[in-house]
Amino acid sequence: RGPTSRRAPTSNPVKNLGQRQDVSKDCRSTAQRTTMTDEFISDYLKPEIRVTASIQNHKLKAEENHVDNRLSATDDNRKSTTDNRIATTDNRKATTDNRKLTTDDRKLTTDNHVNNNIKSEEFSGLTPSPKFQRTNSLRDSKRKTEKGLSKEAVDALQATEDYTKVTLKTGHSQKAVKEVEGGKEQTQDTLLLQIKGKLSMQTRLVATHFSSLNAHDTYILVTSSHLYQFNGANTTVMKKSKGTEICNAITMAKEFKCMADRATILEQSRGSYMLKQFYQLLNTNSENDQVSEKLLDDEEFEQEMIRENICYKLNAETDSFELMEELSARRLKHSRLRDNEIYCFDYGPEVYVWIGKNADKSARRNAMVAGRQIFDAKQRPSWGVFERVAGGLEHSLFREKFKDWPDVNAKNVLAVKNPCAPKKDKISYAQMEPCDVHEMRRPLPEKPPGLVLEMTDVGRGTGLPTDLSQDIFGHDVETTGVEMWRITDNSYEEYPKEKYGEFYSGESFIIRWAYRVMQGGRKQDHETGRDRAAFFFWQGSDCSIKEKGKSAFLTVRVDSERAPQIPLTQAHEPPAFLQIFQGGMVTYSGKISDQKEQKHSERLFLHRGELECESNLIQLPEISPLSLRSRGCFVLQDGTHRLYVWSGCKSSRHTVAGAVCAARTLADSKLRGTRVCEVEEGKESKEFWSLFTGGKQPYPSLLQDTRSYNQSIRLYNLYEEQKEFKFLEKEYSCRAPEVTAPYPFLQSDLYENDQPALFILDAIFKVYVWVGWWPSQSHDGEAMAHTGSAVTDFTERYRLSLHTAQEYAAEDGCEVEVVRAGAEPDEFRYVMGILIGDINWGYLGEKSI
């Protein structure tokens, strides 16, 4: 055979890797054959055959290396297995040692028990043997050696204390005792709380006696182990609900050291053994005692309790409490408390010193002493309470003195929301509070609302002084020219200059006012700039909607200068507009065509305006004595060139002066040759009364009223916005801070708001709540639906409005009266002034409130 038959086989010569000796033999034989083959190839074979043999030789070497690698890996695995077994053996030894140590500890514990038993033997002659003592000492030394503890440490651990002879102190800590030294608190173990009221429920402390009970109220009796709620036979549901709320708060927080888990509800009308036990706690054992049936009005009780409230504030410099009149004689809000202040609240039998969380520590020490002086200054009942209340730890009796204290139980309620539920923007009226009457009574700002034109506040048309202007030197405004146009059917026409200032309730006019601004008294615009202008489009109260739209559209055509355009309605002109005519503005009723026939007939004008330069006259539709008002001034024109200026008995000097100025301006410019006569109320002549329809008749006169009317009435619009009940005070556009306005509002102002509306009118000696109506259609003619939710929402707003009016009137002790749209009494109409313009009574619809 040829040399190629000696080629090494390509298959793996190792068939059984588990037998190491066979593998070694096969490897040697393979190596020998490889060496012989190489020698034979190098000596006899050709170069081509030599290359093939070399390839085969490399393959054999690769197989040999593979076998060596597998053998080395097997050896490593066997070594690691051996190491793991050794480690397991060591772990078992460690476990055995631990068990031995545990056994030794148990033996030592047993020895200790034996020693304790020997020491507690009654016979002192029995002592352990020396052998037993040596054994214990050896074991103790062994234990100390093992644990590494010294003798002192072991003695300390084995020491015992007898706490049976230790007495714990109750009440204040040592630090607290130092703070109240000289101002010791006075509390009672048993308290009886009375819940009484209607709109502003009052919770007060009363004597813990049977005589304090009343069949018309709810009571809560608090002891260390029991809590009772007693409902009188004639009590209301609201009182019962308030009592349950207070009982829940007491049981949850364990207030007044009451450990009762729940309250026991007792009804006077249902006799039970628990009711007898309740009566016994109130110091009565007689079965003939009857609960009082005497009825005390809840509202009178509320006002009496509120008037007794006195609030003091600690002065840190003098360490004494100072009276705060603005927080006294009223029910406070929680927001009035400041965490860095200390207050003392005097509620008659109850006196509390409230200390804020951030109050000064040195002031706290003297607060109780100063509070005790207030408590001792008056003669108080023996069951009275003088207590220190820390901010954030107030109890129910103190919290109920405030009308908006946050609900402490709401913090412990976990609100779970369904993420799949649709979002609803519902208003929770239960969380809404009435308006703050102190904010409502806040004085109006000294600067009345002005008119801003081209980023400049022209004020009342004459500029602003330095103290009211943002400029350093202030600025003055000077009128340089006036032009007027009357709106016709489809266009506009120039108005005669001799008629400037004459307006008609059935017409619309365009007025161009040219003015100049002078900074610091210098005419800078005249020297370096341009004259400014503004366009007013005035609309009468009897104009139709179409005519009002024409005036706005035509104003754009007239205004080629692109100046500011300001819409105005009758009786709502700003002072800057009125001063243009310097007291010569007169508004006649109807249209121009109607007045030509009445040029020399009788007319009755109402005077408005607080300054002489802003005086204006408005013609009334009828010449009736019912139109006269004792706080205002009127101008009566007869047909014989005479003007009567009638002044009411309660009219102010500036009102009379303005009316006389307006009458003289009318006589000089438009009714030449007319004489002006002044007439005071109560001194009228027969000729004067003959000009009225029906002659002299009864009218709302204040001649017999001795009260002073030196205040302006105030009007508030109540509404809801963003889940909060708010108010917006309507401000008279011509208000002057230095004088009072007799009739700043008109009855038509109430009807121009979106309905149903709610208003509160402060008429000085009476407070009115004006309620609107449910309109069947809007002002645009669209039908309005009356859904159940809308009625519910308005009912809640109406309730809050009444609550606000009650608190507002309580400040002055006056009455509250509710009036409804379309059914206002005469007294209300006399206060609001004259009704200017026609009211669309069809808006009232078929459904009234």
Side-chain angles (χ1 to χ4, degrees):
R1 292 183 297 180
T4 56
S5 61
R6 293 174 177 261
R7 268 185 323 185
T10 58
S11 61
N12 192 350
V14 182
K15 295 181 179 179
N16 189 359
L17 296 177
Q19 299 178 0
R20 184 177 181 83
Q21 294 178 357
D22 296 340
V23 173
S24 301
K25 291 179 182 179
D26 293 339
C27 291
R28 286 196 218 96
S29 61
T30 302
Q32 291 175 2
R33 288 198 299 269
T34 302
T35 304
M36 293 173 62
T37 302
D38 293 339
E39 293 176 357
F40 178 80
I41 289 173
S42 61
D43 293 340
Y44 301 102
L45 296 183
K46 294 180 182 182
E48 296 83 357
I49 299 173
R50 202 175 294 166
V51 172
T52 302
S54 177
I55 293 172
Q56 296 295 333
N57 187 17
H58 284 296
K59 290 182 177 180
L60 290 173
K61 288 183 178 180
E63 291 175 359
E64 183 180 359
N65 292 335
H66 178 67
V67 172
D68 293 338
N69 290 336
R70 297 183 69 176
L71 291 174
S72 61
T74 302
D75 294 338
D76 293 339
N77 290 334
R78 290 178 177 175
K79 290 181 179 179
S80 62
T81 301
T82 304
D83 295 337
N84 290 335
R85 290 176 178 175
I86 295 172
T88 302
T89 303
D90 294 339
N91 291 334
R92 290 176 178 173
K93 291 181 179 180
T95 303
T96 303
D97 295 338
N98 292 333
R99 289 176 178 174
K100 291 180 179 180
L101 293 174
T102 303
T103 303
D104 294 339
D105 292 339
R106 290 176 178 174
K107 291 180 179 180
L108 290 174
T109 304
T110 303
D111 295 341
N112 291 333
H113 285 299
V114 173
N115 291 335
N116 293 334
N117 292 332
I118 292 173
K119 291 179 180 180
S120 61
E121 290 290 340
E122 296 179 359
F123 301 99
S124 60
L126 297 178
T127 57
S129 61
K131 181 179 179 180
F132 186 77
Q133 292 180 355
R134 287 196 301 269
T135 303
N136 289 341
S137 62
L138 290 174
R139 288 177 179 175
D140 291 341
S141 61
K142 181 179 180 181
R143 180 182 179 184
K144 285 185 283 186
T145 303
E146 291 178 354
K147 300 297 182 179
L149 300 176
S150 62
K151 182 180 179 181
E152 292 79 4
V154 174
D155 295 340
L157 292 173
Q158 293 179 353
T160 58
E161 293 290 342
D162 185 9
Y163 290 99
T164 58
K165 298 180 180 180
V166 178
T167 57
L168 300 178
K169 294 182 178 181
T170 60
H172 301 287
S173 61
Q174 293 296 330
K175 182 178 179 181
V177 170
K178 292 180 180 179
E179 291 182 1
V180 300
E181 184 178 357
K184 186 178 180 181
E185 294 181 327
Q186 178 176 330
T187 59
Q188 305 293 334
D189 296 333
T190 303
L191 302 176
L192 182 62
L193 312 181
Q194 181 187 19
I195 301 174
K196 187 177 183 62
K198 187 175 182 181
L199 296 176
S200 181
M201 205 77 68
Q202 299 286 321
T203 303
R204 298 285 175 161
L205 181 67
V206 296
T208 310
H209 195 271
F210 184 82
S211 59
S212 301
L213 299 182
N214 190 292
H216 301 276
D217 302 322
T218 297
Y219 296 84
I220 296 176
L221 181 63
V222 185
T223 66
S224 60
S225 57
H226 295 86
L227 181 64
Y228 298 95
Q229 177 181 342
F230 174 80
N231 298 323
N234 302 324
T235 188
T236 62
V237 177
M238 296 298 294
K239 295 178 182 178
K240 293 181 181 180
S241 177
K242 174 60 71 173
T244 304
E245 178 184 343
I246 296 175
C247 288
N248 292 336
I250 294 175
T251 54
M252 289 183 63
K254 303 300 180 184
E255 297 176 349
F256 310 113
K257 300 180 182 180
C258 179
M259 305 307 296
D261 295 333
R262 61 180 181 177
T264 303
I265 309 299
L266 303 176
E267 299 289 343
Q268 181 186 357
S269 57
R270 301 176 184 177
S272 63
Y273 75 96
M274 295 295 294
L275 187 61
K276 295 181 179 179
Q277 183 179 357
F278 172 77
Y279 289 157
Q280 292 176 359
L281 292 174
L282 296 179
N283 302 325
T284 179
N285 295 321
S286 176
E287 298 180 356
N288 298 326
D289 291 343
Q290 298 294 329
V291 178
S292 174
E293 296 286 343
K294 184 179 180 181
L295 176 61
L296 178 62
D297 186 64
D298 289 342
E299 295 183 2
E300 295 180 0
F301 177 81
E302 290 176 4
Q303 296 178 3
E304 182 181 357
M305 291 295 101
I306 291 175
R307 283 194 296 267
E308 292 181 357
N309 297 344
I310 304 176
C311 178
Y312 302 90
K313 183 179 178 181
L314 184 67
N315 188 343
E317 297 180 357
T318 60
D319 292 334
S320 60
F321 283 106
E322 297 179 353
L323 177 65
M324 300 186 68
E325 296 182 357
E326 64 275 10
L327 299 181
S328 301
R330 59 176 52 90
R331 197 175 183 189
L332 293 179
K333 283 191 172 184
H334 175 262
S335 57
R336 293 298 186 103
L337 297 179
R338 299 291 180 265
D339 290 339
N340 58 345
E341 299 291 349
I342 299 178
Y343 301 90
C344 181
F345 298 98
D346 186 354
Y347 299 109
E350 310 168 47
V351 177
Y352 301 100
V353 176
W354 186 86
I355 301 176
K357 299 178 182 178
N358 304 325
D360 185 51
K361 293 183 179 180
S362 59
R364 298 184 184 185
R365 300 185 181 95
N366 302 319
M368 292 299 293
V369 178
R372 186 69 190 190
Q373 295 176 357
I374 295 176
F375 182 82
D376 296 336
K378 297 181 181 179
Q379 185 177 2
R380 306 181 192 271
S382 59
W383 44 267
V385 170
F386 172 67
E387 191 173 353
R388 176 182 183 268
V389 180
L393 300 176
E394 300 86 356
H395 50 69
S396 302
L397 185 56
F398 179 82
R399 292 195 302 265
E400 288 299 320
K401 302 298 188 296
F402 297 79
K403 62 181 179 181
D404 64 340
W405 197 279
D407 187 5
V408 294
N409 298 330
K411 300 179 181 179
N412 302 324
V413 178
L414 178 62
V416 180
K417 296 182 179 180
N418 184 6
C420 300
K423 295 182 179 180
K424 297 181 180 180
D425 189 14
K426 289 187 176 181
I427 302 173
S428 178
Y429 288 98
Q431 300 177 357
M432 294 174 59
E433 295 290 338
C435 298
D436 189 353
V437 295
H438 302 293
E439 294 293 332
M440 296 175 66
R441 287 182 172 274
R442 180 172 295 181
L444 293 172
E446 295 183 1
K447 178 185 175 183
L451 182 63
V452 179
L453 300 174
E454 299 185 28
M455 301 180 67
T456 301
D457 190 352
V458 298
R460 308 184 80 93
T462 57
L464 292 176
T466 304
D467 55 343
L468 298 179
S469 175
Q470 296 180 355
D471 302 331
I472 299 177
F473 303 102
H475 60 270
D476 298 330
V477 177
E478 181 184 28
T479 301
T480 58
V482 180
E483 296 181 76
M484 286 186 65
W485 295 268
R486 186 177 74 90
I487 305 298
T488 59
D489 293 337
N490 296 317
S491 183
Y492 57 91
E493 62 181 13
E494 291 188 6
Y495 205 52
K497 291 187 178 180
E498 62 272 12
K499 292 187 177 182
Y500 280 7
E502 292 185 9
F503 294 84
Y504 296 86
S505 62
E507 303 281 353
S508 297
F509 296 87
I510 300 175
I511 303 93
R512 180 185 180 273
W513 177 44
Y515 64 96
R516 183 182 297 118
V517 178
M518 298 175 291
Q519 300 288 345
R522 296 175 296 173
K523 301 181 180 180
Q524 293 185 355
D525 286 353
H526 176 71
E527 297 175 356
T528 61
R530 60 175 176 81
D531 287 343
R532 304 185 186 185
F535 284 84
F536 301 94
F537 51 98
W538 185 91
Q539 302 167 347
S541 59
D542 298 331
C543 284
S544 62
I545 297 177
K546 184 178 180 180
E547 292 174 340
K548 293 180 180 180
K550 281 183 183 179
S551 63
F553 174 73
L554 294 175
T555 303
V556 179
R557 294 177 56 182
V558 174
D559 184 11
S560 59
E561 309 171 51
R562 295 184 178 180
Q565 301 175 8
I566 302 97
L568 299 177
T569 57
Q570 181 181 346
H572 295 87
E573 301 87 356
F577 178 81
L578 297 175
Q579 66 84 30
I580 296 176
F581 308 100
Q582 292 296 309
M585 180 178 175
V586 182
T587 303
Y588 298 97
S589 60
K591 293 182 175 293
I592 295 180
S593 58
D594 301 335
Q595 294 296 326
K596 292 181 179 180
E597 302 176 356
Q598 304 176 4
K599 185 174 182 180
H600 298 289
S601 60
E602 295 83 3
R603 297 189 181 97
L604 180 63
F605 298 93
L606 166 67
H607 168 261
R608 300 197 76 196
E610 309 309 317
L611 304 179
E612 293 186 8
C613 61
E614 301 172 4
S615 297
N616 62 97
L617 301 177
I618 302 176
Q619 182 182 354
L620 301 181
E622 296 180 357
I623 306 178
S624 172
L626 297 177
S627 301
L628 300 178
R629 303 288 187 271
S630 295
R631 293 192 65 189
C633 292
F634 294 81
V635 176
L636 178 62
Q637 176 187 352
D638 63 356
T640 59
H641 303 286
R642 182 178 296 180
L643 290 175
Y644 294 95
V645 179
W646 183 88
S647 58
C649 61
K650 301 295 182 180
S651 59
S652 57
R653 294 181 179 179
H654 73 275
T655 303
V656 177
V660 173
C661 177
R664 289 177 179 175
T665 304
L666 177 63
D668 296 341
S669 59
K670 301 174 178 61
L671 301 175
R672 296 181 180 179
T674 302
R675 188 163 54 95
V676 178
C677 302
E678 298 185 30
V679 179
E680 296 181 4
E681 183 179 7
K683 300 179 181 180
E684 303 88 350
S685 62
K686 293 182 180 180
E687 297 179 357
F688 176 82
W689 289 117
S690 63
L691 299 175
F692 288 85
T693 303
K696 184 178 180 180
Q697 297 177 3
Y699 67 95
S701 176
L702 299 177
L703 283 172
Q704 305 299 327
D705 194 345
T706 59
R707 296 176 297 185
S708 175
Y709 289 82
N710 56 355
Q711 301 178 16
S712 299
I713 64 175
R714 305 179 72 170
L715 184 64
Y716 306 92
N717 182 16
L718 305 179
Y719 63 98
E720 179 275 328
E721 184 182 20
Q722 296 180 356
K723 300 181 180 181
E724 185 177 357
F725 195 63
K726 299 181 179 180
F727 72 92
L728 177 63
E729 183 173 3
K730 284 192 169 295
E731 195 168 354
Y732 180 35
S733 58
C734 296
R735 177 180 64 87
E738 61 274 9
V739 296
T740 59
Y743 300 104
F745 309 107
L746 304 175
Q747 191 174 348
S748 55
D749 296 340
L750 304 175
Y751 292 85
E752 295 174 355
N753 288 267
D754 294 334
Q755 302 297 331
L758 292 166
F759 284 89
I760 289 181
L761 176 65
D762 181 4
I764 305 177
F765 301 107
K766 202 169 189 179
V767 176
Y768 294 93
V769 178
W770 187 86
V771 185
W773 70 93
W774 282 109
S776 58
Q777 60 181 5
S778 63
H779 293 280
D780 300 333
E782 298 180 358
M784 297 185 64
H786 304 143
T787 60
S789 60
V791 175
T792 302
D793 294 348
F794 178 79
T795 304
E796 293 295 334
R797 294 197 301 270
Y798 177 58
R799 181 184 64 82
L800 293 172
S801 300
L802 294 179
H803 197 7
T804 303
Q806 289 281 358
E807 294 185 1
Y808 190 96
E811 297 288 331
D812 296 331
C814 54
E815 298 179 357
V816 178
E817 184 176 349
V818 179
V819 297
R820 303 185 183 277
E824 295 91 348
D826 294 339
E827 185 181 3
F828 179 82
R829 294 200 302 268
Y830 299 153
V831 172
M832 286 297 296
I834 306 302
L835 179 63
I836 296 179
D838 294 334
I839 295 177
N840 188 356
W841 298 104
Y843 285 151
L844 292 176
E846 300 177 356
K847 187 174 182 180
S848 60
I849 298 176

